[in-house]
Amino acid sequence: MSTTTIRLPEELKARVERLAAARGSTVHGFMVEVIAQAADQHELRNDFLAEAQRRCKHMQRTGEFLTHDDVREYAMALARGDKPARPVPRTLAPDELARFRSRARRADRS
């Protein structure tokens, strides 16, 4: 295990000490746990954003999409223990797809 030095403002150090003591943990153990949680959250967010970008690119290519209502209905049926069919993707009309692609290109440039 490597060693890292961290400088904390006195107020933050006191907060960390109080929180660690309340959990029955050492300051070191508390900080390692909190840093690991923050790293996990950042990785999950990065994975989520990468998946969203992948799906957006797919929509730009195909024009296929699902509505919020379609997905919600499917998810609620799964939560009830049902075995629903997957929602069927809808497809943007050609003029809608052209506008969507145009907006996506503008957003990519900014």
Side-chain angles (χ1 to χ4, degrees), residues 18-100:
R18 279 194 310 273
L19 291 167
R23 294 181 78 177
S25 174
T26 63
V27 169
H28 174 266
F30 178 82
M31 289 193 299
V32 168
E33 183 180 335
V34 170
I35 291 169
Q37 287 173 356
D40 290 346
Q41 288 175 345
H42 282 276
E43 288 171 345
L44 285 172
R45 178 154 176 79
N46 289 343
D47 291 347
F48 174 81
L49 293 174
E51 179 65 15
Q53 187 171 34
R54 187 186 68 74
R55 290 182 183 211
C56 187
K57 296 289 184 198
H58 175 78
M59 186 176 170
Q60 287 176 41
R61 280 193 318 276
T62 65
E64 294 179 344
F65 69 99
L66 296 171
T67 67
H68 174 267
D69 290 339
D70 293 339
V71 174
R72 186 177 190 284
E73 185 178 312
Y74 178 70
M76 294 302 287
L78 288 174
R80 288 190 303 271
D82 299 342
K83 296 189 186 314
R86 287 180 167 238
V88 177
R90 300 166 191 248
T91 304
L92 291 171
D95 60 324
E96 294 172 319
L97 182 55
R99 283 193 303 272
F100 177 73

